């Protein structure tokens, strides 16, 4: 029983990067219109940059459609801003907007930049599919001394309602696993970066139906991104999911919670 649970937990956390890239590439045209929470989170993460900070070189890790890269360029107009992402579709979309920024395909866990390259590394809702220790070590390597890493990410408990509803339908892993906040705090304090701030905040969205919720996740490219085999999402299974999710319904609709981490670290 214990080892079955461990296997499931491991599967829950196994991320298939090709699938991450394919899902986000497919969502490049629909992402911005569905990303209300993501925009709010990024704006809040951005508050982690201290007033008066004047970076010369800025990197947006997991830059997606480039919406935050664009804000970084507006905020730090004299800086050279680069967006890096795994998903070719996202990069194509971002680069078609004639923003004064450079674009680069790359993996956050193995960044294609030299040591001491950036004054500010920003990242919103992208590092949660990576191994945090590797991300912190890569970010430290490419940050100049005194440089800042300002980010948002996700912790365990994210989409708990959807996960619980799926568990009543079948035994597949449908939701990506995220480490608990306490474990991520520990990884940050074990890293060579110094912690200026690190906090957790819950955000809950409400939907009229399971179908609107699933459609929004698909538009965002946030389909399941682990490497497990999944069955087909048949109408019968969706109906089961709808029934299971009803037990969580509130006056304002079906809840979907996000456990959002905000951090500012210094090299
Ligand atoms: C939820 S979107 C966020 C995009 C943008 N930061 C924003 O706030 O709108 C996550 C982005 O991270 C990218 N991503 C996920 N894992 C990555 C990795 N290992 N390396 C580079 N990019 C990654 C995805 O392709 C996607 O574009």
């Amino acid at each position: 029983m214990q080892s079955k649970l461990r296997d499931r937990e491991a599967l829950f956390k196994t991320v298939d990067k090709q699938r991450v890239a394919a899902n986000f590439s497919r969502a490049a045209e629909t992402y911005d219109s569905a990303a209300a929470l993501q925009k709010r989170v990024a704006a809040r993460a951005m508050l982690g940059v201290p007033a008066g900070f004047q970076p010369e070189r800025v990197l947006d890790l997991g830059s997606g459609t480039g919406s935050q890269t664009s804000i970084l360029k507006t905020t730090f107009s004299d800086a050279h801003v680069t967006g890096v992402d795994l998903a070719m579709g996202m990069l194509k979309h971002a680069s078609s907007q004639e923003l004064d920024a450079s674009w680069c395909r790359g993996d956050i866990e193995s960044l294609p930049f030299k040591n001491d390259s950036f004054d500010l590394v920003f990242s919103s809702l992208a590092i949660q599919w990576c191994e945090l220790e590797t991300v912190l070590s890569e970010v430290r390597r490419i940050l100049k001394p005194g440089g800042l890493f300002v980010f948002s990410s996700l912790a365990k408990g994210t989409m708990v309602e959807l996960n619980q509803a799926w568990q009543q339908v079948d035994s597949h892993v449908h939701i990506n696993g995220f480490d608990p906040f306490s474990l991520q705090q520990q990884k940050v304090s074990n890293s060579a970066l110094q912690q200026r701030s690190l906090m957790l905040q819950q955000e809950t969205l409400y939907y009229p139906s399971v179908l609107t919720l699933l459609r929004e996740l698909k538009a965002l490219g946030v389909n399941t991104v682990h490497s497990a085999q999944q069955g087909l999402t048949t109408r019968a299974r969706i109906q089961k999911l709808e029934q299971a999710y009803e037990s969580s319904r509130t006056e304002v609709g079906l809840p979907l919670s996000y456990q959002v981490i905000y951090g500012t670290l210094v090299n």
Side-chain angles (χ1 to χ4, degrees):
M1 184 67 182
Q2 276 298 322
S3 79
K4 252 193 176 171
L5 272 177
R6 267 200 305 277
D7 288 351
R8 190 176 161 81
E9 193 76 1
L11 189 59
F12 199 53
K13 291 191 61 197
T14 311
V15 170
D16 178 341
K17 287 193 182 169
Q18 278 184 350
R19 202 156 156 182
V20 173
N23 285 345
F24 278 111
S25 283
R26 261 197 304 273
E29 301 301 322
T30 49
Y31 182 90
D32 280 335
S33 56
L37 170 76
Q38 288 69 11
K39 285 177 194 157
R40 213 163 59 231
V41 167
R44 199 187 161 107
M46 212 70 90
L47 297 175
V49 182
F53 188 66
Q54 294 284 341
E56 284 173 12
R57 292 179 61 85
V58 176
L59 178 66
D60 186 7
L61 274 191
S63 46
T65 58
S67 60
Q68 303 312 315
T69 327
S70 162
I71 291 171
L72 287 164
K73 182 64 200 173
T74 308
T75 311
F76 306 112
S77 52
D78 292 337
H80 182 270
V81 178
T82 304
V84 64
D85 204 286
L86 200 59
M88 215 48 222
M90 283 292 194
L91 286 166
K92 273 191 194 144
H93 181 93
S95 58
S96 70
Q97 296 175 68
E98 291 175 24
L99 235 185
D100 183 15
S102 308
W103 304 102
C104 176
R105 182 160 195 262
D107 182 351
I108 295 170
E109 292 186 305
S110 175
L111 288 166
F113 304 108
K114 291 189 183 133
N115 296 356
D116 303 347
S117 298
F118 296 95
D119 305 282
L120 171 63
V121 174
F122 177 82
S123 182
S124 192
L125 296 181
I127 62 169
Q128 60 273 9
W129 298 295
C130 300
E131 180 47 62
L132 185 56
E133 283 126 325
T134 313
V135 176
L136 294 173
S137 132
E138 272 299 83
V139 169
R140 174 160 195 260
R141 182 182 67 72
I142 62 163
L143 268 180
K144 295 180 193 169
L148 289 182
F149 181 34
V150 175
F151 67 94
S152 67
S153 186
L154 296 173
K156 187 171 179 160
T158 295
M159 298 191 192
V160 63
E161 305 87 351
L162 180 58
N163 194 24
Q164 281 167 358
W166 269 123
Q167 278 174 9
Q168 291 179 52
V169 177
D170 60 33
S171 58
H172 295 299
V173 176
H174 292 271
I175 311 295
N176 310 301
F178 305 111
D179 281 337
F181 180 51
S182 56
L183 182 57
Q184 300 200 45
Q185 279 178 307
Q186 212 177 314
K187 289 180 178 178
V188 168
S189 47
N190 290 345
S191 84
L193 294 166
Q194 279 169 33
Q195 184 179 315
R196 192 172 270 201
S197 68
L198 192 65
M199 58 169 284
L200 183 72
Q201 194 176 57
Q202 177 168 322
E203 294 269 358
T204 306
L205 301 181
Y206 295 90
Y207 296 85
S209 69
V210 166
L211 280 183
T212 49
L213 182 156
L214 292 179
R215 274 195 206 115
E216 186 169 291
L217 291 183
K218 195 170 176 197
L220 290 167
V222 189
N223 314 40
T224 313
V225 289
H226 59 84
S227 53
Q229 287 288 315
Q230 281 191 86
L232 292 172
T233 309
T234 60
R235 183 71 207 141
R237 290 172 70 242
I238 293 294
Q239 274 171 356
K240 270 185 148 184
L241 182 70
E242 285 171 331
Q243 279 165 12
Y245 217 133
E246 276 309 311
S247 62
S248 307
R249 187 178 284 280
T250 69
E251 279 175 357
V252 283
L254 298 173
L256 186 67
S257 303
Y258 289 79
Q259 302 295 332
V260 186
I261 299 175
Y262 296 95
T264 299
L265 312 179
V266 189
N267 188 19

